[in-house]
Amino acid sequence: NFNDVSATGKGGDANVYVAGDSGKMYYSFENGEEGSWEYVTPGSGSNVNAVDFFGGRDGHIVDGNKTVFETAGGETWSKLGIADANVNFYGVDADGPGDVWVSGGGGMIFHWNGSAWIPEDTGDAGLRDIEVTGDDSAGLAVGAGGTVYALSGGTWTQQATPTGENLKAVAYGTPRIAVGASGTILE
């Protein structure tokens, strides 16, 4: 099974990365063409829950063993953290080597600022996905029971939603969209 996908580039120059539940990161530097796929197992073999790339071959993943990995070439991975987090990681948003956001169990959000992980406890259920603007001025995190948190002015604030369904993914743009269980789509 596959858990997440990220692509960089355009047309025939796209790099495609797919996170697998067998602990494998699949990648193609040839637009996903048949026969161009390779894979690597960055960690212990735990599920790779999420992947996000901010450059052609620069990005981050989170796995089911409470680990964040980074790559600058798309083929080899090194651990970035998070020490003593004590929650599972579900979502990652990579905006640069020194700007990474991770969402996790227990309503935890972590931000890598290039030198330290800064935790924030929303006190809510597990947050399954996160997306923050490149300048860190705004963002969304979504999770269990229709939970949505919005980032504004450096503070995460819970937003009211018309659903109790588990939300699993979010896209921050125009429009902002969250999707989840039972075909739920929020705009």
Side-chain angles (χ1 to χ4, degrees), residues 24-153:
K24 293 182 172 87
M25 270 304 306
Y26 297 87
Y27 59 93
S28 166
F29 298 143
E30 298 175 28
N31 205 34
E33 294 292 326
E34 187 174 335
S36 70
W37 288 93
E38 301 287 337
Y39 71 88
V40 63
T41 305
S44 65
S46 293
N47 295 352
V48 177
N49 293 330
V51 55
D52 194 35
F53 276 71
F54 57 88
R57 295 188 183 184
D58 303 320
H60 295 81
I61 61 173
V62 295
D63 76 3
N65 199 23
K66 304 174 184 174
T67 308
V68 180
F69 294 91
E70 64 183 340
T71 185
E75 298 176 75
T76 59
W77 296 83
S78 59
K79 288 184 180 182
L80 180 60
I82 302 170
D84 302 319
N86 297 322
V87 298
N88 291 325
F89 303 144
Y90 302 119
V92 63
D93 178 47
D95 294 323
D99 190 11
V100 183
W101 294 84
V102 173
S103 62
M108 291 300 297
I109 295 172
F110 301 90
H111 181 219
W112 174 251
N113 64 11
S115 60
W117 284 102
I118 300 165
E120 173 136 1
D121 185 353
T122 67
D124 213 311
L127 297 173
R128 302 304 259 181
D129 197 20
I130 188 166
E131 190 166 346
V132 178
T133 59
D135 63 2
D136 297 337
S137 65
L140 292 172
V142 299
T147 301
V148 173
Y149 279 87
L151 175 64
S152 179

